[in-house]
Amino acid sequence: PYIQIKSTDTKLPDEVYDISIDPGHGGSDPGAMNGKYKEAEFAMKYSLALKKSLEELGLKVMLTRDGTEDTSEDSKFSVYSVYDKDGRVNLVGKSKAKYNLSIHLNSLDIKTINGTEIYAPNNANLDIAQAFADNIVKMANTTYSTRSIDKVSNGVYVRTYTDEEIQKSNESAKKAGYEPYPITTNTPYLYMIREVGGKTTGAYVDGRNKRYGKNEYYQSDIGVESYLIELGYIINKKDLNNMINNQDAYIKAIQKTVQENICK
């Protein structure tokens, strides 16, 4: 017996993407700062370059913001708009992307701390996260982060809620008059990992807290696998200079990781 198969080349629908890129912060939220340097501006510059680089691999890529948003203090684009219908969380869900890369710069009061950190879902295979960390360190003249909290391997971190944070969340809910969220110590803390993963990563923002909007995809069965890339520490002189002068190497390292671990 024979089976006859006919295949034709097709393109993704206009609203569907392979990868979404989330340039951290933006609008009235500058993120971490060091003098005139702002995390939001770095994240935007890097994300635009990364989008172009990934499109060279034949991938269809979207950005959650494009840098044209209002940056005044009363801007509607802020940490409180992430769950709006056109906010970054819902834009990623709507994109139906397979992967999301959230680009950030780190900061702590300890100025000697430095290096790259890759944050991953706690229930994911960490091979891709490790590849991001390894390639960035090898190709971008930087180091694995010297930070030890939440570290699972060189440059790879998994951040979930602590008992203290769960208690604070429950107290806030009680004070505001809504039912506490179903958070456990296995729930990812970083929202751009948790909320774009749907049921898989324990997304929970369902609109009960009126301070925020609603994640329209919090119950989605097809979640987006998200990695938060902390390129380096903006408060560290060595990291900052490297990120200013060595952008192409960081981008090539991320592109290489996507090509070898996602495209294949």
Side-chain angles (χ1 to χ4, degrees):
Y2 293 92
I3 297 176
Q4 186 177 36
I5 298 175
K6 181 180 180 181
S7 63
T8 57
D9 289 336
T10 60
K11 293 183 178 181
L12 288 175
D14 290 343
E15 72 277 11
V16 177
Y17 293 81
D18 293 308
I19 291 180
S20 58
I21 299 175
D22 174 51
H25 306 279
S28 60
D29 174 22
M33 299 178 64
N34 184 354
K36 66 179 182 179
Y37 297 106
K38 300 178 181 179
E39 178 183 4
E41 294 177 356
F42 266 98
M44 190 71 256
K45 185 179 178 182
Y46 267 75
S47 294
L48 288 170
L50 180 58
K51 180 177 185 290
K52 181 179 179 181
S53 177
L54 296 183
E55 287 173 340
E56 291 173 356
L57 298 178
L59 297 170
K60 189 176 177 186
V61 185
M62 67 151 285
L63 296 173
T64 60
R65 68 181 180 95
D66 62 6
T68 62
E69 66 275 0
D70 180 10
T71 58
S72 63
E73 290 185 3
D74 58 352
S75 170
K76 293 182 179 180
F77 190 103
S78 70
V79 293
Y80 299 109
S81 67
V82 296
Y83 300 107
D84 290 350
K85 284 197 173 183
D86 59 350
R88 64 210 323 157
V89 167
N90 282 309
L91 285 177
V92 173
K94 184 180 178 181
S95 76
K96 296 181 174 63
K98 182 65 176 175
Y99 294 92
N100 176 68
L101 305 178
S102 193
I103 308 300
H104 287 259
L105 274 64
N106 230 329
S107 182
L108 275 178
D109 291 336
I110 307 171
K111 293 187 178 182
T112 55
I113 197 168
N114 69 294
T116 295
E117 299 174 11
I118 311 298
Y119 285 82
N122 59 310
N123 57 356
N125 182 307
L126 298 179
D127 289 350
I128 294 178
Q130 191 64 64
F132 276 124
D134 291 345
N135 284 329
I136 290 174
V137 167
K138 289 176 184 176
M139 299 174 65
N141 191 36
T142 186
T143 61
Y144 300 111
S145 175
T146 54
R147 187 170 181 266
S148 59
I149 298 174
D150 301 317
K151 178 180 176 180
V152 294
S153 62
N154 286 336
V156 177
Y157 294 75
V158 172
R159 173 80 160 90
T160 57
Y161 274 92
T162 64
D163 288 324
E164 182 180 357
E165 288 163 343
I166 293 172
Q167 182 179 350
K168 287 182 178 179
S169 176
N170 292 342
E171 290 172 355
S172 295
K174 183 177 180 181
K175 186 176 181 180
Y178 63 86
E179 186 71 19
Y181 289 120
I183 303 171
T184 73
T185 52
N186 286 321
T187 303
Y189 182 85
L190 300 171
Y191 71 84
M192 282 308 292
I193 289 179
R194 180 189 69 241
E195 293 299 321
V196 302
K199 290 181 179 179
T200 305
T201 50
Y204 60 69
V205 179
D206 56 5
R208 69 181 71 179
N209 181 354
K210 302 306 178 185
R211 193 178 186 185
Y212 296 97
K214 176 182 177 181
N215 175 5
E216 301 291 339
Y217 302 90
Y218 81 100
Q219 289 186 316
S220 171
D221 290 319
I222 306 175
V224 182
E225 189 171 324
S226 184
Y227 295 90
L228 192 145
I229 301 174
E230 297 276 9
L231 297 166
Y233 279 81
I234 196 171
I235 46 81
N236 180 274
K237 184 177 180 180
K238 182 179 178 181
D239 273 6
L240 179 58
N241 287 336
N242 195 42
M243 290 183 293
I244 292 172
N245 299 308
N246 209 16
Q247 175 180 301
D248 287 349
Y250 282 92
I251 297 302
K252 287 178 180 178
I254 298 173
Q255 182 198 49
K256 176 180 172 66
T257 305
V258 170
Q259 185 174 21
E260 295 179 348
N261 295 271
I262 293 177
C263 290
K264 287 186 178 181

